[in-house]
Amino acid sequence: MTRIEEFVKEQAEKHGRERSSLMPILQAVVQSERFLSEEAMVAIATELDLSTADVFGTASFYTFLDTVPRGKNIIRVCKTITCHMKGKDAIIATLEDMLKVKLGETTSDGKFSLLQANCLGWCHKGPVMLVNDEIYPEVTPEKAVEIIREYLKKTK
Amino acid sequence: MSKFKVNLKINNIPVSVDEGTTILEAARKLNFNIPTLCHHDDLCVAGNCRVCVVEQKGARLLTASCATPVSEGMEILTNSMKVRQARKHIVELLLTEHNADCTKCFKNGHCELQEISNEYRIGDHVFIDLLQEKDRVQDISSPAIVKDDSKCIRCQRCVRTCAHLQAVSALAVTHKGNKMRISTFLDKPMNDVICTNCGQCINRCPTAALTERSYIDQVFDVIYDPSKFVVVQTAPATRVAIGEEFGLEPGTRVTGKMVAALRRLGFDKVLDTDFTADLTIIEEGNELLRRLKEALVDGKDVALPMMTSCSPGWIKFQEHLYPEFLDNLSTCKSPQQMFGPLAKTYYAEKVNKNPADMIVVSIMPCTAKKFEAERPEMRGSGYKDVDFVLTTRELGMMIKQAGIDFNKLENEGYDSILGDSTGAGVIFGATGGVMEAALRSAYEIVTGREVPFSNLNIKPVRGMEGVKEAAIKIKDVKPEWKFLEGVELKVAIAHGLANAKALMDRVKEGKADFHFIEVMACPSGCIGGGGQPIPTTMEIRKKRAAGIYDEDEHMALRKSHENPEVIELYEKFLHEPLGHRSHDLLHTHYYPRKRH
């Protein structure tokens, strides 16, 4: 049994093997591994007696359930209309420049992924940026650089 | 349980129907046709395509008639101005994302979206075309099934078929919003996933998003090539279904016309898979008896229950999902794949042809047979045993292309040899048929008497129940079979892979003590195969099954071991069942596959 298979099994023990257990298990794997690998999805399908296509179908519906490898920190800049009008493009451009990646990519050292997100519900304090589970309202390009620098320090 | 009646009016005509009936079903009862796309009689309700919307008096919104049960006092209009306009717009919207290249489409003339567009004469582009050039890619990775997302209207009939009828779920709804599509695990090519190639999705796809991989042109090419000797074999289930392509009732027996049509198409010899179906019974029956002997007399640890191996969709299903039971599968090749190597060895010698110049074409009710023919181990003759596999539908298309007036053809008979068959071979086409054919022969081999059923019709193994079980007591056996004296032979039959899965789970849990299990991947067996004429419904499949059993009753011989050509084959070539030559040509092995 591989490490992932064991992890999935533990999660199945915890959350059950019903179809409704799929979501918490997917979330747990993403929490731990930052994305759902092919191996992880096969393990989940096997454990829950579902088809792999079903598992992938569910995962691909949710933006936060990634099926491609992501960096240790995931930056998501809100792309919806209010944040757009308040200048999210400038933030993205600055971060692209700082991290030397394009939107959707992960830095070569694996420390950051730069993504967009749909409305995060902070329209009154846009533009907003989400790093992992932490929300940063009213960011400016300068503030964004500062925030990411802090994460850079913390990330080995 | 007595059902409450519900009274309603449809287009001002009163009707009383059972509680729980949908508006769609009630309207059909009054002969009002409501168009549908996502709805299918074999599948659960989806209600996503919306073309079946109707107006309910007093309601603000239109209602999907396929998904709404009737209620007391309801007044429904199926063709009001509001309905007409909405329906037209819905179809127009579906077309904005549809690659409507109808003239070159494989489903041209058989497409439900085309049919409804025609009815409403939809041509003008009211809405902006959303289909992009990059979306026009076909997945042709599989030798059996072509998936073309540019034709897909996301009705999810295929998804429901794959999940509920087949318990495979190779296809699922993936992604969301405008990126939502019907796809496989990690969007992998169809040939790299768990798809069994059964083709049931094709039978239910309303457009050409899922079709068989067609080999019509390749077959015409070899027919036109004078250096090739092209023989064709026809599966049992094709003869009661091909007529539907020419407007005949489902189940009409057109064996003679089909043979005549194949000859007119230019095949050099028209032979019959029913012949190798009979041969399968001899090999598989003996295999079963040998396994029983090894288990009961020698005390060996042999794999029981033995399971049939005629259905290549079922084989791939087992390889993916129950690899620990591969030893239970009979090692017999399917009748199609027994035919191939025999044609290129025994038959080639008889007709004095070089097998290198021989082409074997099969007409099959099946798409999985296309995959089976491509399996690398299917080269027992030293050549590719079966060169091309065509579906019943493709044969219909070829006959039309060749300008043959099918319905006016005179009946003709199969060529000899490899053309003779018995009723036992014919019934392979229906669920329970292989079991019945095997029992007719095995019982007689063991006891010297015919099976104790009226007119050889083993009714308990027939019919459309998902899993059938039967037991037959073996008494007064011949001396060499005395270990079977008093044994109650227990058998089970499943059709449709969801039923097969239910049965397999019982076997896996040790809750089933069967000796022999027949499984056909497709609902109702080969007559409901993924290569059969579209549409398919339970009613249609029942008619085809009736045609099969009718054909059986009209055969002079009805037991495989009485097939004179099979007897001759053993005398002159194979020498004995399960012998050396049989092993080389007629038996195979299976490989575990990943579960995704």
Side-chain angles (χ1 to χ4, degrees), chain B residues 233-236 239 271-284 310 332-343 346 362 364 369 386 417-422 424-426 428 560 563 565-566 569-570 574 585-586:
Chain B
Q233 55 165 325
T234 62
R239 63 205 69 200
L271 306 171
D272 202 355
T273 318
D274 287 14
F275 166 81
T276 33
D278 280 334
L279 181 62
T280 301
I281 289 301
I282 305 304
E283 290 289 324
E284 200 162 314
C310 309
C332 288
K333 288 180 184 171
S334 72
Q336 161 177 284
Q337 293 302 142
M338 285 199 181
F339 184 94
L342 281 180
Y346 172 68
S362 339
M364 291 285 142
K369 292 277 172 198
V386 174
I417 48 179
L418 313 194
D420 221 347
S421 67
T422 72
V426 174
F428 265 58
S560 295
N563 182 328
E565 288 187 354
V566 170
L569 174 70
Y570 277 108
L574 295 173
L585 297 178
L586 310 180

Side-chain angles (χ1 to χ4, degrees), chain B residues 250-275:
Chain B
T252 311
R253 291 161 48 212
V254 287
T255 318
K257 288 188 196 302
M258 181 171 71
V259 173
L262 287 165
R263 247 179 225 128
R264 277 165 187 62
L265 278 171
F267 288 102
D268 293 304
K269 291 288 172 196
V270 183
L271 306 171
D272 202 355
T273 318
D274 287 14
F275 166 81

Side-chain angles (χ1 to χ4, degrees), chain B residues 104-162:
Chain B
K104 49 184 177 172
C105 182
F106 189 74
K107 285 285 281 292
N108 191 6
H110 293 277
C111 169
E112 293 176 50
L113 182 63
Q114 185 186 41
E115 197 180 314
I116 170 170
S117 310
N118 280 347
E119 278 174 6
Y120 284 82
R121 286 293 178 266
I122 290 168
D124 295 335
H125 287 254
V126 182
F127 302 105
I128 301 167
D129 207 353
L130 293 175
L131 188 76
Q132 292 174 4
E133 218 35 59
K134 67 173 171 54
D135 300 325
R136 296 177 192 244
V137 215
Q138 288 187 332
D139 178 352
I140 52 165
S141 62
S142 155
I145 296 177
V146 176
K147 180 167 174 283
D148 183 347
D149 287 353
S150 73
K151 302 281 171 70
C152 178
I153 58 166
R154 282 161 270 183
C155 68
Q156 302 169 29
R157 278 191 193 170
C158 55
V159 174
R160 282 172 283 151
T161 301
C162 204

Side-chain angles (χ1 to χ4, degrees), chain A residues 38 41-42 45-46 49-54 56-57 60-63 67, chain B residues 168-176 183-188 501 595-596:
Chain A
E38 177 167 348
M41 284 189 274
V42 170
T46 313
D49 197 19
L50 290 171
S51 96
T52 47
D54 258 352
F56 173 65
S60 65
F61 184 85
Y62 295 96
T63 316
T67 53
Chain B
V168 171
S169 282
L171 293 173
V173 180
T174 67
H175 306 91
K176 70 175 155 204
S183 192
T184 54
F185 178 48
L186 288 168
D187 300 322
K188 287 172 190 266
K501 185 168 192 286
R595 61 164 287 140
H596 59 279

Side-chain angles (χ1 to χ4, degrees), chain B residues 447-465:
Chain B
T447 65
R449 288 167 287 132
E450 286 191 342
V451 280
F453 290 90
S454 151
N455 198 21
L456 296 174
N457 296 333
I458 309 179
K459 292 275 168 70
V461 301
R462 297 186 183 182
M464 296 303 169
E465 207 183 315

Side-chain angles (χ1 to χ4, degrees), chain B residues 538-551:
Chain B
M538 183 54 97
E539 193 191 339
I540 289 172
R541 297 193 293 273
K542 279 182 176 166
K543 285 181 183 169
R544 290 180 193 155
I548 286 277
Y549 289 117
D550 201 28
E551 183 100 348

Side-chain angles (χ1 to χ4, degrees), chain A residues 76-130:
Chain A
R76 298 176 203 265
V77 181
C78 176
K79 68 171 181 185
T80 338
I81 191 156
T82 314
C83 290
H84 180 78
M85 290 170 73
K86 289 226 179 158
K88 62 99 181 162
D89 281 348
I91 293 162
I92 290 172
T94 307
L95 291 178
E96 281 181 335
D97 194 42
M98 177 192 182
L99 299 168
K100 304 282 175 275
V101 289
K102 288 211 174 76
L103 194 62
E105 291 177 351
T106 299
T107 54
S108 54
D109 59 7
K111 285 183 180 167
F112 292 96
S113 292
L114 179 61
L115 309 173
Q116 293 190 110
N118 280 314
C119 185
L120 295 166
W122 284 74
C123 307
H124 58 302
K125 287 191 181 222
V128 291
M129 180 171 92
L130 183 73

